[in-house]
Amino acid sequence: MPEASPPPELPPARLPRRLRATVGALARAVCDPPDDVAPATYERLADDVERFLASLPAAARLGLVGALWAFEASAALVPSSRLRTYSRLSPRRAAAHFGRCWESRALHPLAKILKMVVAFAWFELPEVKAAMGYHPERWIAEASRRRLAAWATEVRRGEAAVLEPDPLRRPAAPAPTEVADALAGR
Amino acid sequence: MPSLAAEPIRTRADWPDAIPGATTRRRAFRGDVVELGCDVVVIGSGAGGAVVAAELAEGGLDVIVLEEGGHHRTEDFGADAGAAVRRLYRDGGAQMALGSPPITFAEGRCVGGSTVVNGGMSWRTPDKILERWRREDQVAGTGDMERYFERVERFISARHQDPWTVGRDNELLREGAERKGWAVIPNIRNQLHCAGTNNCAFGCPTGAKRSTLVSYVPRAQAFGARVLADCRVDRVLLEGKRAVGVAGRALGPDGRPGPRVVVRARGVVVAAGAVQTPALLLRSGVRSPSGAIGHGLTLHPNAKVTAIFDEPVEGWKGVHQAYQVREFQDEGYLMAAVNIPPSMLAMTLPHWGPALREVMAAYDRAVIAGILVEDTTTGRVRQVGGRPLVTYALSDLDLQRLVRGTSLLCELLFEAGARRIVLPFEGVADLHGPDEVRRLFARPIPREAMEVVTVHVMGTARMGEDRRRHVCDSFGKVHDADGLWVSDASLFPSPIGVNPMETIMALATRNAERLLEGWR
Ligand SMILES: Cc1cc2nc3c(=O)[nH]c(=O)nc-3n(C[C@H](O)[C@H](O)[C@H](O)COP(=O)(O)OP(=O)(O)OC[C@H]3O[C@@H](n4cnc5c(N)ncnc54)[C@H](O)[C@@H]3O)c2cc1C
Ligand code: SF4
């Protein structure tokens, strides 16, 4: 049987530079990473968010991009920001602004959705997982090896069994009575 | 043995030229149309669709399965959760039922449907539910389900786990339940010597989980069914009240919309899941005398807690949901340990900033456990602009049950030795001991503060013998239509309080049997 390669992913939905910076600034506020995280990590984070956006239906994608723009601009409305938008705030001010939105009844849904997107992408970064000591792929490899070492024959037999003919046994038409019984509440 | 030359699953790379039996009609406007014909066309290859397809194909019918999602194989699955949700789930796993609180739900979209990403729990429909369906919905034959369950269990290899695959998080859950004196049972899962990799939600990388991708889909192919992936059905074609086929669109090799597709068939089985099925019926203009297409959505609302222990837990080592706490099943709650990767945990925790960092730093000592509630209210799927719109208003009663269930789960986890528990309620402080569990009841938890999710959507084209109330008859045939069946989670007349996959498969088996009996 010819084997196809896995379908490629959709091309990422490109964000403008400014919004890539918004994503990075949000990650600093939401995930509180150590200070020495390399700039390349934030670039990879933005790449990941772009890939996620591509998997959304058009309306949701537009909504999320709109939410990022709204959040980026919202910081400029705070007097102490001196008209700087979110990605241009210092990390301390950026965290404070995120906190204000999180606590605000009106802005909480916006802050929450952005937190969800950014936190998911952040903790998917290989370097972040490695720093946590989380190496699921090693466990998968080890557990899979153990499985085949112990059960290879049973596994092969079980996999083959699913293709064996076993036509449905037709009962001697009890059905009309059953329907009548059901209708009569019996 | 069945034919060894089973047709491979066709994907976007094959549309249109390599699709067996297809003819392409060139059109000057609106693009070419690829046309196919068969006895029965099945829409969707998940728990319902793949089973119907395999049974009908083995029964001698010429079957085509159309699947919107792509074909991903066991070798493609791994621990990259981000890539998996983008490839295997509908809308990146981020669907929402609108309401207060909004409820996030997930469905698979790939060959194998949600069975590729599900947890593999395989439970028969509880007797009391079958009895309720018989009594309240006049569903026929509920007393004769045993042989369908047995057949399904054989093909999906439903059984208990090998003991060495159970991880520490599940043992802690069991220990907590036993110390409380609560009933706790080992789960039955569809697995062939599962390795305990804890990757079920992102595709099983060993093939141990017998999703339809590796069970019923190959079985259908082996009996001659053609399985065409990357093809979304937009409409059921109707002539009067008779379904005569379907129309849709395939993806081109670049992932953009490709050719239009028309499949002419004498029978159409819709098995697109409880959200897409009613949306498809509605946009096709199917009229039900019940007016109930899309009504009756139930979804087993879930809430999860994150319990931090002193000891290393490493919840990703070992199968998830090895046990279920059944003590409160009569009250409509189930509890289980359900490890999720750090990304998903961080996304859903009610914390941010240093508080989030602190919890995430303890990820390797966390037991993530959830409660599932058998809901008492229903929501609705509408069809707006070609897409489903899902609404669901959690009832006050279910809200209280979620809070009570969560507090019971916290009691259990403290009994097992938890030091701190993060709740699924925003604005409610973490708990640090059993005495604080009472705080959960001290003041009401606002609806909007609750983080409620689900992976079980059911009941939007209900079966039963009353055509004024039910969309389909007891065997999935749409009332008042010819040649049109539904065979997926949409059929449930009520929630079932346990994991739904096996019920869907058993119903699909008997629907196929009935269809074969009546086939001329
Ligand atoms: C993460 C997760 C965990 C779960 N865990 C469990 C568990 O442990 N045990 C259990 O019993 N249940 C579990 N479930 C639920 C269970 O998997 C589903 O209830 C079941 O698979 C639903 O079957 P279905 O046939 O209704 O739909 P699905 O299995 O979702 O299949 C529907 C298929 O139809 C396709 N489709 C939809 N629309 C179209 C269209 N227009 N054209 C072509 N194709 C279309 C979809 O892409 C999909 O592949 C889980 C679900 C999820 C998402
Ligand atoms: S835990 Fe078992 S069934 Fe789940 S993905 Fe791993 S091997 Fe497969």
Side-chain angles (χ1 to χ4, degrees):
Chain A
M1 203 182 276
E3 289 295 350
S5 54
E9 281 205 59
L10 294 171
R14 290 283 170 225
L15 287 172
R17 272 231 76 75
R18 173 64 73 86
L19 289 191
R20 288 175 62 88
T22 316
V23 167
L26 269 165
R28 281 188 200 93
V30 165
C31 305
D32 194 30
D35 294 335
D36 58 356
V37 171
T41 299
Y42 292 102
E43 292 301 321
R44 274 195 292 277
L45 172 76
D47 293 345
D48 241 27
V49 169
E50 290 179 342
R51 276 193 287 270
F52 172 68
L53 285 170
S55 70
L56 296 179
R61 186 164 57 240
L62 282 175
L64 249 180
V65 173
L68 279 167
W69 275 122
F71 191 76
E72 172 70 8
S74 66
L77 303 176
V78 179
S80 61
S81 74
R82 280 182 265 141
L83 293 181
R84 276 173 301 186
T85 59
Y86 188 72
S87 59
R88 301 193 167 162
L89 296 177
S90 69
R92 195 175 53 79
R93 281 184 192 277
H97 183 69
F98 183 83
R100 267 193 303 274
C101 295
W102 184 266
E103 296 305 328
S104 139
R105 225 183 144 76
L107 293 178
H108 180 77
L110 172 70
K112 183 171 170 178
I113 199 99
L114 295 179
K115 180 229 145 173
M116 291 173 89
V117 172
V118 167
F120 181 86
W122 180 261
F123 284 97
E124 270 303 306
L125 290 172
E127 54 269 53
V128 173
K129 291 197 265 191
M132 295 172 73
Y134 174 64
H135 297 286
E137 60 297 329
R138 287 187 201 161
W139 171 250
I140 289 175
E142 183 190 327
S144 311
R145 241 188 336 268
R146 260 202 290 170
R147 170 181 187 250
L148 283 184
W151 303 112
T153 313
E154 285 86 344
V155 165
R156 257 197 311 277
R157 209 177 293 139
E159 287 175 352
V162 88
L163 301 181
E164 276 162 22
D166 181 7
L168 272 167
R169 179 172 55 82
R170 313 262 175 90
T177 357
E178 280 166 19
V179 175
D181 281 356
L183 283 169
R186 285 193 287 269
Chain B
M1 283 296 282
S3 144
L4 290 176
E7 257 299 316
I9 294 173
R10 299 298 181 168
T11 68
R12 65 174 88 163
D14 301 311
W15 286 98
D17 300 331
I19 303 295
T23 52
T24 301
R25 194 153 45 91
R26 306 277 167 206
R27 293 204 313 189
F29 300 105
R30 299 183 66 222
D32 298 343
V33 182
V34 179
E35 292 185 332
L36 290 140
C38 61
D39 290 330
V40 176
V41 59
V42 178
I43 303 158
S45 61
V51 173
V52 162
E55 298 294 8
L56 294 182
E58 186 171 14
L61 301 192
D62 178 15
V63 176
I64 291 180
V65 180
L66 297 178
E67 168 55 54
E68 179 180 356
H71 176 213
H72 304 269
R73 293 157 308 147
T74 297
E75 313 75 285
D76 305 330
F77 300 140
D80 184 345
V85 294
R86 294 191 298 267
R87 288 166 186 251
L88 305 177
Y89 284 76
R90 182 172 294 281
D91 299 351
Q95 297 184 87
M96 196 163 276
L98 302 178
S100 177
I103 299 179
T104 312
F105 68 91
E107 290 174 298
R109 182 178 54 191
C110 52
V111 173
S114 301
T115 69
V116 170
V117 293
N118 77 12
M121 261 41 70
S122 304
W123 289 105
R124 295 182 176 194
T125 328
D127 287 343
K128 70 165 188 187
I129 300 291
L130 290 173
E131 173 54 23
R132 185 198 296 163
W133 289 355
R134 187 189 69 78
R135 207 181 49 243
E136 295 177 10
D137 298 284
Q138 295 87 44
V139 175
T142 53
D144 183 31
M145 290 297 290
E146 182 90 5
R147 64 198 179 91
Y148 302 110
F149 291 134
E150 275 170 9
R151 183 173 173 85
V152 166
E153 285 162 2
R154 197 151 33 85
F155 290 136
I156 64 170
S157 191
R159 52 170 87 172
H160 287 122
Q161 288 290 128
D162 295 327
W164 56 273
T165 60
V166 180
R168 185 67 188 134
D169 59 338
N170 277 277
E171 292 302 359
L172 284 166
L173 182 96
R174 183 183 55 76
E175 283 167 28
E178 283 174 358
R179 280 189 209 144
K180 300 279 300 173
W182 293 351
V184 54
I185 56 167
N187 248 321
I188 299 174
R189 302 182 63 253
N190 59 330
Q191 45 85 31
L192 192 54
H193 296 299
C194 158
T197 64
N198 206 292
N199 208 62
C200 307
F202 312 109
C204 177
T206 65
K209 185 175 77 179
R210 307 309 287 160
S211 68
T212 59
L213 173 70
V214 292
S215 55
Y216 276 102
V217 169
R219 191 168 173 81
Q221 290 174 274
F223 293 107
R226 285 170 280 175
V227 182
L228 312 181
D230 294 318
C231 180
R232 177 187 147 90
V233 172
D234 293 322
R235 263 176 322 129
V236 175
L237 299 173
L238 296 167
E239 280 175 8
K241 290 183 174 181
R242 165 167 287 283
V244 293
V246 299
R249 186 143 208 168
L251 279 185
D254 56 357
R256 293 179 205 287
R260 285 165 202 285
V261 177
V262 170
V263 179
R264 304 242 163 236
R266 286 173 55 209
V268 175
V269 179
V270 187
V275 171
Q276 301 300 321
T277 285
L280 174 58
L281 294 177
L282 289 168
R283 68 175 178 262
S284 305
V286 174
R287 300 268 175 272
S288 165
S290 67
I293 298 176
H295 292 256
L297 172 76
T298 59
L299 41 68
H300 288 166
N302 287 219
K304 71 153 188 4
V305 301
T306 308
I308 310 294
F309 287 72
D310 284 340
E311 62 169 294
V313 173
E314 298 189 315
W316 65 93
K317 293 185 176 175
V319 66
H320 79 159
Q321 300 196 53
Y323 301 107
Q324 264 180 5
V325 178
R326 287 283 178 106
E327 180 70 15
F328 306 98
Q329 194 180 6
D330 287 346
E331 291 176 51
Y333 314 124
L334 295 184
M335 298 170 189
V338 280
N339 186 262
I340 50 177
S343 50
M344 288 194 161
L345 181 62
M347 174 175 91
T348 51
L349 282 172
H351 296 321
W352 65 276
L356 178 66
R357 177 167 43 80
E358 199 184 306
V359 178
M360 293 308 295
Y363 178 72
D364 61 343
R365 288 181 287 120
V367 173
I368 301 155
I371 156 165
L372 174 156
V373 166
E374 183 182 329
D375 39 349
T376 56
T377 187
T378 60
R380 188 166 169 194
V381 178
R382 292 177 175 81
Q383 205 278 123
V384 179
R387 287 183 59 85
L389 175 76
V390 183
T391 51
Y392 184 93
L394 192 69
S395 70
D396 287 337
L397 176 64
D398 291 343
L399 200 108
Q400 282 166 19
R401 295 160 85 216
L402 271 173
V403 176
R404 174 166 149 71
T406 304
S407 66
L408 290 166
L409 184 56
C410 292
E411 280 181 25
L412 178 158
L413 290 162
F414 279 125
E415 194 70 46
R419 294 291 177 202
R420 170 184 180 182
I421 295 182
V422 186
L423 297 165
F425 312 132
E426 278 175 3
V428 180
D430 299 350
L431 306 178
H432 291 88
D435 297 343
E436 293 184 17
V437 176
R438 246 173 289 123
R439 204 173 65 211
L440 272 180
F441 290 111
R443 63 192 168 103
I445 303 208
R447 291 175 159 267
E448 60 278 14
M450 298 185 107
E451 185 72 47
V452 184
V453 298
T454 186
V455 291
H456 298 168
V457 285
M458 303 160 286
T460 48
R462 297 179 162 202
M463 62 176 173
E465 289 301 324
D466 183 351
R467 57 182 57 225
R468 289 159 311 172
R469 287 198 297 134
H470 302 111
V471 176
C472 302
D473 74 9
S474 303
F475 302 91
K477 183 174 174 302
V478 176
H479 284 303
D480 215 31
D482 290 321
L484 183 60
W485 287 264
V486 170
S487 204
D488 62 17
S490 316
L491 290 176
F492 290 13
S494 75
I496 62 172
V498 297
N499 316 69
M501 174 180 66
E502 189 171 328
T503 301
I504 298 165
M505 291 176 154
L507 291 175
T509 309
R510 76 180 204 141
N511 293 351
E513 183 180 76
R514 177 53 64 99
L515 198 155
L516 285 169
E517 276 164 17
W519 192 260
R520 309 254 178 270

